[in-house]
Amino acid sequence: MGWGSGNDSVRVGSCGLGRGLFAGRGYDPGELILVLCGARYGRDDPIHGTPGGANLLQTGWRTYILLEPPGVFANHSCNPNAGIRGNRRLVAIRPIAAGDEIRFDYSTTMAENFWTMPCRCGDPACRGVVEDFARLPRLIQDRYLRLGIVQGFIARDQQHIRAAARRTAAPCRTV
């Protein structure tokens, strides 16, 4: 099944994880693949305790969307070829050929401190677990922040944390 507008297309197909999202055409880095859609939920909504809750995408400290097709089929990778900008825009972060599976790092959207998932991405760089952005190795965090594929609320928090650390680490001056 294909989605998209004009020549921008994706399809859902079989993969090693069940079903995945695949490129219907090639994409260049920075190019929009898909706008993710879904109903909005708060952190306290009972949906979090259901199997469907695994398909929630965190868009704010206490806000989520329940991903709809085709975006719900975008699988995780510890070495992704796509990322989310502006909370809902799935973009290529490296060239993606027609037929390639489109994957993003779920950790770039997570700041909950309560949910993790065993990783089955199969990449040689696999971290073994999908968890909050704050728990990623610093080099990976830095790369994702440079690429602009970290949810805005997380990126802003990281800026504050890093600025405070720089102020604390500033050498003392004697007068």
Side-chain angles (χ1 to χ4, degrees):
M1 180 176 271
W3 282 271
S5 58
N7 293 329
D8 295 353
S9 62
V10 295
R11 66 177 178 78
V12 174
S14 296
C15 68
L17 297 173
R19 296 199 304 179
L21 186 66
F22 292 85
R25 65 167 184 85
Y27 290 91
D28 293 323
E31 194 171 352
L32 178 66
I33 299 168
L34 181 67
V35 176
L36 301 170
C37 298
R40 187 175 170 160
Y41 290 88
R43 172 63 198 106
D44 298 327
D45 194 283
I47 192 168
H48 289 273
T50 71
N55 294 322
L56 290 165
L57 174 75
Q58 191 174 7
T59 58
W61 288 114
R62 298 187 57 78
T63 58
Y64 300 77
I65 59 169
L66 182 59
L67 291 173
E68 296 175 352
V72 70
F73 295 106
N75 287 314
H76 164 82
S77 177
C78 293
N79 185 20
N81 57 8
I84 298 176
R85 287 192 181 141
N87 285 347
R88 293 182 184 222
R89 293 186 331 265
L90 186 66
V91 299
I93 59 171
R94 63 176 191 241
I96 300 174
D100 285 355
E101 186 175 1
I102 299 167
R103 292 181 170 205
F104 73 96
D105 190 331
Y106 291 177
S107 293
T108 61
T109 68
M110 293 173 53
E112 306 165 310
N113 203 26
F114 71 87
W115 187 85
T116 64
M117 176 179 91
C119 185
R120 300 183 319 159
C121 74
D123 193 87
C126 181
R127 298 184 303 270
V129 65
V130 180
E131 56 190 341
D132 284 3
F133 183 80
R135 296 182 186 209
L136 291 177
R138 180 68 181 254
L139 265 98
I140 294 172
Q141 288 180 1
D142 291 346
R143 177 175 176 257
Y144 289 160
L145 288 165
R146 274 193 314 276
L147 288 168
I149 57 166
V150 178
Q151 293 292 54
F153 72 101
I154 299 171
R156 286 186 298 277
D157 188 54
Q158 285 294 311
Q159 288 173 339
H160 294 297
I161 290 168
R162 292 170 185 214
R166 283 190 301 274
R167 285 190 303 274
T168 304
C172 295
R173 296 182 188 176
T174 57
V175 181

